[in-house]
Amino acid sequence: MSDFDPNRRQLLKASTVAVGGVAVVSQLAPQAEAAVPKATAPTAPTTMSIRLKVNGIERQLNVDPRTTLLDALRDRLHLTGSKKGCDQGQCGACTVLIDGRRTTSCLTLAVMQEGHEVTTIEGLGTPNNLHPLQAAFIKHDGFQCGFCTPGQICSAVGMLDEMRAGAPSHVTGDLNAKVQASPLEFRERMSGNICRCGAYSNIQEAIAEVAGVKA
């Protein structure tokens, strides 16, 4: 009878396989390392030179092409009337006018607005010569904390121009008839501008006065 222990035979086999595996891995390691691409050093962001016309004044800026119009207005041109609320285009606090049309400036890039007319709350009026909507907001106390007010006013200016041009809304009854100013139309068209203080009734009264209708 052999005195060789079966368990010992299994141990020797396992050791042989393990040693062979280490040898194979050692041979493949340089190849695997060569197959992994080397990490490249990060490069500095590229800037672009753009000319923005804001509130009637042309300004030359060097900006990262990823810069939003809102950040360019606030951080580069120091026009801080446009507020950064949600930064996702949902609250309307950053609303400005681009070629007369209301736009959430956090959702458009500054480089896209070259050649366009940008109007912020600072460009609508001055303390001594208020825009009619600015005066109406003051008269009807259409604000509390005031954070959303610049966006509300810019949006209202654009909204009234849309109605004068005959653009219908979701609640317009007859698409073939002239759009009639009404509180229902105002509420629908201004629904993208949120007032967390809840001054909606006063905002509606201010808009209605400028539009010449009863709130």
Side-chain angles (χ1 to χ4, degrees), residues 24-38:
V24 171
V25 171
S26 299
Q27 293 177 358
L28 293 178
Q31 300 177 11
E33 183 178 353
V36 177
K38 299 288 185 181

Side-chain angles (χ1 to χ4, degrees), residues 121-190:
I121 189 66
E122 293 90 344
L124 284 180
T126 65
N128 296 324
N129 186 25
L130 295 174
H131 186 281
L133 272 165
Q134 290 174 316
F137 265 67
I138 294 172
K139 175 182 176 181
H140 292 277
D141 198 20
F143 50 87
Q144 290 186 39
C145 76
F147 188 84
C148 74
T149 307
Q152 296 274 3
I153 294 176
C154 285
S155 186
V157 171
M159 180 266 292
L160 291 178
D161 286 342
E162 291 168 10
M163 294 185 68
R164 295 187 191 103
S169 76
H170 182 69
V171 298
T172 303
D174 187 352
L175 300 182
N176 296 316
K178 182 180 178 180
V179 176
Q180 298 295 322
S182 68
L184 182 61
E185 286 281 359
F186 298 154
R187 287 195 293 270
E188 169 63 23
R189 293 170 186 265
M190 292 292 293

Side-chain angles (χ1 to χ4, degrees), residues 1-117:
M1 180 182 293
S2 172
D3 59 355
F4 189 80
D5 188 350
N7 293 329
R8 184 181 177 191
R9 181 184 294 111
Q10 294 174 1
L11 176 62
L12 290 174
K13 286 183 179 180
S15 300
T16 303
V17 171
V19 172
V22 170
V24 171
V25 171
S26 299
Q27 293 177 358
L28 293 178
Q31 300 177 11
E33 183 178 353
V36 177
K38 299 288 185 181
T40 57
T43 57
T46 302
T47 60
M48 295 179 62
S49 178
I50 62 172
R51 181 174 289 275
L52 289 181
K53 189 172 184 180
V54 182
N55 299 330
I57 301 173
E58 289 195 352
R59 304 288 294 273
Q60 191 76 33
L61 295 174
N62 286 318
V63 297
D64 185 310
R66 298 166 294 183
T67 303
T68 64
L69 176 60
L70 175 60
D71 287 338
L73 292 173
R74 290 182 56 83
D75 300 336
R76 301 299 302 279
L77 299 181
H78 308 294
L79 296 171
T80 55
S82 304
K83 297 298 188 285
K84 181 177 284 194
C86 65
D87 210 23
Q88 297 178 359
Q90 296 181 358
C91 72
C94 69
T95 302
V96 299
L97 300 171
I98 298 178
D99 296 335
R101 299 183 64 180
R102 49 186 176 158
T103 303
T104 46
S105 58
C106 73
L107 292 186
T108 185
L109 299 176
V111 296
M112 298 169 60
Q113 304 312 322
E114 198 165 23
H116 297 280
E117 295 267 357

